[in-house]
Amino acid sequence: KLFQQMQQEGIKPNKVTLINVANAHVSPETLALGKLIHALIVNRGWDSDIVFGSALITMYGKCGSFKDVCRVSDKMSAQNLISWTAMISAYSRCGHCEEAFKILQKMQQSGMVPDKTTFIRILNLCDSPATLANGKLVHSHIVDQGFEPDVVVG
């Protein structure tokens, strides 16, 4: 409501406001407003910004809009740990678990080292006999990184 009031009063939101509003619209019911936020980001020329890209990927993933997750991730010119983790999480939320594992592999091939949050996101995908092999591979990476003693990850 506050964001809509700002719009009605002609107040232009800054980057922090748009990121926070995007993070607040994380359900299928709020997808339309999330797309409005995305359009504002594009109109301001901020759509190539890695922080906005990560926030939009997270938003679309939580809204269940896999098509939009892919569209945003395809437009990103670079990735960092946060954007890779956002993609893994969004792919898995949208039911594309095998692709989420491929994102992890691409991340590692690019030289980026997963952190605890990334491993937690990917471990959430290893919950069935079909994903046991991937789970074992992820576990070996966790051991290699020294995260196994960590209460949350190990």
Side-chain angles (χ1 to χ4, degrees):
K1 283 187 170 186
L2 184 59
F3 178 73
Q4 290 170 332
Q5 183 179 350
M6 286 175 63
Q7 292 293 104
Q8 291 169 350
E9 293 178 13
I11 300 171
K12 290 187 176 185
N14 63 19
K15 288 183 176 186
V16 174
T17 302
L18 287 175
I19 288 171
N20 284 316
V21 173
N23 286 331
H25 294 88
V26 292
S27 70
E29 294 80 27
T30 61
L31 180 60
L33 189 52
K35 287 185 180 240
L36 173 67
I37 302 304
H38 188 175
L40 286 171
I41 291 168
V42 170
N43 287 341
R44 298 262 173 95
W46 297 335
D47 53 324
S48 63
D49 184 293
I50 199 163
V51 175
F52 279 115
S54 299
L56 290 170
I57 287 169
T58 298
M59 178 192 75
Y60 284 129
K62 289 181 177 180
C63 290
S65 182
F66 185 68
K67 175 182 76 175
D68 291 310
V69 167
C70 293
R71 191 166 43 101
V72 172
S73 63
D74 288 347
K75 284 190 172 190
M76 292 179 72
S77 58
Q79 282 84 23
N80 64 11
L81 183 61
I82 294 168
S83 65
W84 283 114
T85 302
M87 285 189 278
I88 290 167
S89 184
Y91 274 61
S92 72
R93 282 181 190 269
C94 293
H96 296 270
C97 299
E98 203 55 45
E99 288 92 338
F101 284 111
K102 289 178 184 174
I103 295 290
L104 176 65
Q105 290 172 338
K106 285 182 185 177
M107 174 187 176
Q108 291 173 314
Q109 289 168 355
S110 77
M112 188 69 57
V113 179
D115 68 354
K116 293 176 188 181
T117 303
T118 309
F119 282 125
I120 290 167
R121 298 288 186 259
I122 205 74
L123 280 174
N124 288 332
L125 302 176
C126 304
D127 62 352
S128 72
T131 59
L132 182 60
N134 285 332
K136 287 182 177 184
L137 181 61
V138 169
H139 182 255
S140 72
H141 289 300
I142 289 170
V143 171
D144 291 344
Q145 298 280 106
F147 293 140
E148 189 175 34
D150 188 283
V151 175
V152 177
V153 180

